[in-house]
Amino acid sequence: MAIIEAKNVSYIYGEDTTFAKKALDNVNLKIEEGEFIGLIGHTGSGKSTLVQHLNGLLKPSEGAIYIEGEDISKLGSKIKKVRQEIGLVFQYPEYQLFEETIIKDVSYGPQNLGLSKEEIDERVRDAIETVGLSYEKDGNKSPFEISGGQKRRVAIAGILAMEPKVLILDEPTAGLDPAGRDEILREIHEIYGKKKITIIIVSHSMEDIASLANRIIVMKDGKVYMDDKPREIFKHKEELEEIGLGVPQVTSFMRKLKEKGLDVDTSAITVAEAKNILTDLLRGKDNV
Ligand code: ADP
């Protein structure tokens, strides 16, 4: 059974007002446990609106969201459980840090779950270490005295401490410098490996998600425009460019080589793959 399913989901902001805006238009999706999904699209294509539906923060104007087969609009007060199971890290989550210490901030969520103190402590320690910070060294620091990238990781730890089944991150690299960006993507990759959870990363950058995601969903005008494995998605360079998205630089590079007459396989989506293809090609040439 799909962990999340969206069936014919449409959403209109300001319905019945003169400002009505259709942000989602008949979205159908099935997300299976263990997937690592890149949700990509131009600004305004509906990505944030969609992810806020997946944990019940927004309710569809039409259609329904199912979590493990249950229509979440029928859950009533049990919706809290969905919010815990489907963890959503907002854009610029560091603005929501407010406690005096990192430990207190990360504890905030689990404290509302009715857990024992030992269990809370264990989860908080694990979450802080999982995002690459030290519980002992950093735990008692103020979230305001650490770097921007570290603050963001503390915010992610706060969600991880809730032990969600699905972790959704809305533009986790927004506003970070290249080093901070690589660092956070590496952490997310590690979380995926370590925690065996389902991950959805929202991004408008193919570079960010190309080497991480095993499925890419492209949004356009509130609709699912493409939904496939990265390798298949990147075959549609022209369509992607038309909607303001590109393919990873390395895919673009391989296509340019082909255009210039070199007989290369253009399917590479990571630098490592491109290197292998080019090395094989050169070796082949040596043997001739
Ligand atoms: P994305 O995350 O892909 O940038 P959004 O889901 O934020 O897209 O927005 C989808 C559409 O809904 C856009 O046209 C946007 O202007 C509109 N929208 C988003 N939030 C609101 C809101 N609170 N009120 C009215 N319209 C909104």
Side-chain angles (χ1 to χ4, degrees):
M1 187 197 304
I3 188 153
I4 302 179
E5 183 170 6
K7 258 194 202 164
N8 308 114
V9 171
S10 294
Y11 186 76
I12 302 170
Y13 283 103
E15 209 172 357
D16 304 325
T17 71
T18 45
F19 306 105
K21 165 81 204 169
K22 194 166 209 173
L24 292 180
D25 188 359
N26 197 30
V27 170
N28 284 287
L29 283 176
K30 271 189 189 175
I31 293 167
E32 306 293 337
E33 210 167 341
E35 286 194 291
F36 192 133
I37 294 179
L39 179 63
I40 193 156
H42 199 265
T43 305
S45 57
K47 305 179 299 292
S48 289
T49 306
L50 176 60
V51 294
Q52 289 176 71
H53 276 78
L54 305 184
N55 78 345
L57 279 179
L58 291 176
K59 294 192 174 57
S61 307
E62 277 171 53
I65 303 288
Y66 298 82
I67 304 291
E68 294 178 320
E70 255 193 301
D71 178 347
I72 63 172
S73 70
K74 306 214 159 75
L75 288 178
S77 62
K78 278 198 284 175
I79 190 82
K80 270 177 78 181
K81 186 150 186 293
V82 170
R83 302 258 161 82
Q84 180 256 310
E85 284 181 353
I86 316 291
L88 175 58
V89 181
F90 285 100
Q91 282 182 36
Y92 296 97
E94 56 276 20
Y95 292 140
Q96 288 162 26
L97 301 176
F98 62 96
E99 294 280 6
E100 298 145 45
T101 70
I102 291 174
I103 290 176
K104 282 190 185 168
D105 228 302
V106 177
S107 310
Y108 182 78
Q111 263 162 4
N112 292 320
L113 297 178
L115 305 167
S116 69
K117 189 180 173 307
E118 289 70 38
E119 192 162 353
I120 294 172
D121 287 348
E122 197 176 310
R123 280 186 180 206
V124 170
R125 180 181 290 271
D126 182 50
I128 290 176
E129 302 276 338
T130 300
V131 299
L133 294 166
S134 158
Y135 180 91
E136 304 297 340
K137 277 202 232 125
D138 304 315
N140 287 312
K141 285 185 187 160
S142 156
F144 302 101
E145 64 180 90
I146 56 179
S147 75
Q150 286 176 329
K151 279 186 196 154
R152 192 161 297 179
R153 286 190 267 142
V154 170
I156 295 172
I159 300 290
L160 278 181
M162 307 280 280
E163 299 201 340
K165 288 186 181 169
V166 180
L167 178 65
I168 306 176
L169 302 119
D170 195 351
E171 298 275 4
T173 61
L176 297 178
D177 60 19
R181 165 184 166 267
D182 290 349
E183 178 98 44
I184 211 129
L185 292 173
R186 197 167 45 243
E187 296 292 349
I188 295 168
H189 185 61
E190 271 180 37
I191 292 169
Y192 181 64
K194 224 163 117 179
K195 299 274 170 200
K196 308 273 178 260
I197 57 179
T198 307
I199 292 195
I200 304 175
I201 293 197
V202 177
S203 178
H204 60 266
S205 157
M206 283 294 192
E207 298 296 340
D208 276 8
I209 58 174
S211 57
L212 292 178
N214 45 42
R215 173 178 169 194
I216 292 181
I217 297 171
V218 183
M219 300 282 297
K220 178 192 176 193
D221 299 333
K223 293 191 179 75
V224 173
Y225 181 58
M226 295 179 195
D227 180 357
D228 215 328
K229 293 195 167 62
R231 204 173 300 285
E232 296 304 313
I233 297 282
F234 298 147
K235 287 181 184 164
H236 302 275
K237 183 171 185 276
E238 287 75 20
E239 289 103 308
L240 291 168
E241 281 172 353
E242 255 170 45
I243 59 168
L245 300 171
V247 296
Q249 274 178 5
V250 63
T251 308
S252 210
F253 172 72
M254 297 300 270
R255 284 176 65 127
K256 281 211 183 89
L257 289 181
K258 179 122 189 163
E259 280 160 27
K260 295 243 184 289
L262 199 64
D263 186 19
V264 286
D265 170 1
T266 57
S267 67
I269 59 174
T270 63
V271 172
E273 279 180 16
K275 189 175 158 214
N276 285 342
I277 290 171
L278 292 174
T279 313
D280 286 352
L281 189 80
L282 291 172
R283 283 216 187 98
K285 285 229 158 85
D286 281 351
N287 294 340
V288 172

